[in-house]
Amino acid sequence: MVKKKWRVLVTGGAGYVGSALVPKLLEAGHRVNVLDLYLYGDDIFHDLRHNDKLCEVRGDLRDPAVVMNSLEGCDAVIHLACISNDPSYDLDPELGKSINFDAFRPLVQASKAAGVKRFIYASSSSVYGIREETLVTEDLLVEPLTDYSKFKALCEDVLEDEREPGFVTCTIRPSTVCGYARRQRLDVIVNILTNHAVNNGRVRVFGGGQKRPNIHINDMVDLYVYLLDQDDEKLDGRIYNAGYENHTLLELAEIVRKVVGSDLPIDIEPTNDLRSYHVSSEKMRRELGFTPRHSIEDAVHGLVQAFREGRLPNSMDDSRYFNIKLMQQTKLK
């Protein structure tokens, strides 16, 4: 097991997962460079700016000079930055492609040129498409259904193409992340259901039978930190699903009701969105030795506490919590 301390570039470090990951990396003794546009606020790491192990670079992943600057001194990269999820991507497919795919190979090549030894890429479990298999494992061919998932899959191919001795690569296919973070998202399924339960007094479920794999944000970031401690041979060229629980939407709603209040009404409405994902994360447990420790119920409890303590004001309307709303407002090009 590797015990070294890295200098890690986290692209998208001020996003939902990044905002939880950066403090964990610092706590583990690593130095951290963050590259982000900071669209969701400049003060996400205000309490960490006294830490000389944190370097923040505000800039665009598509700008080679900015990328070169952010990579200075780094020997590892955790690449989170992207236009996240299908609806946000579909707002402006050209923009989505430019960030999610066109900028990827230049980032990987710049990383190699800067002396990076380890590159961890956050892909997506959506690359599998809709599958009938009970257990969707990494051995199955990807069948992405949308441009967002297609370019996630193509980046995996690019990373494998760029892999070479001394440049260790690993692809993670996360399930949908849930729970509370500094930069909160309220447009992912567990968080949506909890927000409505607490602040509207009811839960709306569209469909109900579709399965959605989820992973608590604390487990997601713990995995990335854990990967930095693993030997090269456990990671190099490997792909790992990262999930914990597969539940139907109705089951998720029931978990939310159990936490928020047993008299909470659940409204079931029809939908055309029949996407259903059910992934196996057994390889992650077996080969990496990493087992998630936080349940969906834990995520709901954390969100409920944040709502009740006033840490998520104006949660139904503030665009900071909703990627698609903020994208519409910022008109990023």
Side-chain angles (χ1 to χ4, degrees):
M1 183 173 283
V2 178
K3 287 298 183 184
K4 69 170 286 187
K5 300 304 179 187
W6 302 82
R7 187 176 191 115
V8 190
L9 170 62
V10 182
T11 69
Y16 179 38
V17 173
S19 73
L21 174 59
V22 168
K24 280 283 184 79
L25 288 168
L26 292 170
E27 189 181 308
H30 303 292
R31 305 180 73 84
V32 183
N33 290 8
V34 173
L35 171 58
D36 204 292
L37 285 166
Y38 288 84
L39 295 178
Y40 300 92
D42 295 319
D43 61 346
I44 289 168
F45 301 122
H46 66 92
D47 58 322
L48 299 174
R49 289 190 170 135
H50 67 280
N51 192 330
D52 62 5
K53 291 184 176 179
L54 174 64
C55 173
E56 297 179 83
V57 178
R58 180 171 184 156
D60 196 314
L61 182 71
R62 297 168 293 176
D63 184 333
V66 167
V67 169
M68 189 181 304
N69 182 34
S70 67
L71 280 165
E72 188 172 344
C74 289
D75 50 4
V77 172
I78 300 175
H79 178 48
L80 307 178
C82 68
I83 301 296
S84 187
N85 77 18
D86 294 320
S88 298
Y89 183 98
D90 291 342
L91 272 181
D92 188 339
E94 283 188 25
L95 173 70
K97 180 174 180 288
S98 73
I99 293 172
N100 290 16
F101 182 66
D102 296 342
F104 185 72
R105 193 184 294 269
L107 170 66
V108 175
Q109 292 178 338
S111 299
K112 289 199 287 189
V116 165
K117 305 301 182 189
R118 183 166 293 191
F119 193 105
I120 298 165
Y121 169 51
S123 183
S124 169
S125 61
S126 67
V127 299
Y128 294 114
I130 299 174
R131 307 302 282 258
E132 295 303 319
E133 291 88 349
T134 305
L135 293 176
V136 176
T137 68
E138 297 86 343
D139 297 328
L140 295 176
L141 293 175
V142 298
E143 295 179 1
L145 297 176
T146 64
D147 281 347
Y148 168 75
S149 54
K150 178 179 78 173
F151 288 121
K152 280 290 188 183
L154 286 172
C155 285
E156 294 184 11
D157 295 338
V158 169
L159 190 59
E160 176 60 23
D161 185 48
E162 292 288 344
R163 183 167 67 95
E164 60 186 37
F167 183 69
V168 172
T169 69
C170 182
T171 291
I172 302 298
R173 292 174 177 165
S175 297
T176 302
V177 180
C178 59
Y180 175 76
R182 290 166 176 253
R183 189 261 127 168
Q184 188 61 50
R185 283 187 67 180
L186 294 173
D187 55 359
V188 287
I189 187 60
V190 171
N191 301 359
I192 293 171
L193 294 172
T194 308
N195 189 18
H196 280 265
V198 172
N199 297 299
N200 273 347
R202 62 198 313 117
V203 177
R204 295 170 72 198
V205 176
F206 293 89
Q210 313 97 303
K211 277 196 172 179
R212 291 288 190 274
N214 285 271
I215 185 169
H216 194 294
I217 192 163
N218 288 350
D219 287 322
M220 190 71 253
V221 301
D222 284 347
L223 173 60
Y224 289 127
V225 177
Y226 183 83
L227 290 172
L228 293 176
D229 287 337
Q230 303 312 299
D231 295 330
D232 289 350
E233 56 268 23
K234 271 194 176 181
L235 303 187
D236 198 16
R238 305 291 183 87
I239 296 173
Y240 292 102
N241 293 338
Y244 179 40
E245 299 178 6
N246 291 283
H247 290 290
T248 66
L249 297 187
L250 190 54
E251 288 168 346
L252 293 173
E254 294 285 1
I255 291 170
V256 170
R257 176 157 65 181
K258 177 183 173 185
V259 174
V260 177
S262 58
D263 57 346
L264 197 75
I266 296 177
D267 303 328
I268 300 175
E269 303 181 25
T271 182
N272 294 323
D273 183 3
L274 299 176
R275 291 174 302 147
S276 188
Y277 312 115
H278 34 111
V279 301
S280 166
S281 298
E282 184 53 37
K283 181 181 175 185
M284 175 182 72
R285 295 179 176 89
R286 184 180 67 250
E287 295 187 11
L288 280 178
F290 183 87
T291 301
R293 297 180 295 115
H294 301 87
S295 67
I296 304 305
E297 195 169 322
D298 292 335
V300 178
H301 275 293
L303 286 164
V304 169
Q305 184 177 352
F307 285 127
R308 292 180 174 161
E309 292 176 355
R311 282 179 276 149
L312 298 171
N314 196 21
S315 65
M316 301 303 296
D317 302 308
D318 194 324
S319 60
R320 287 177 302 165
Y321 308 127
F322 304 93
N323 284 6
I324 195 164
K325 285 185 181 180
L326 198 96
M327 293 282 297
Q328 288 170 320
Q329 287 179 7
T330 56
K331 295 181 170 53
L332 183 64
K333 290 296 178 189

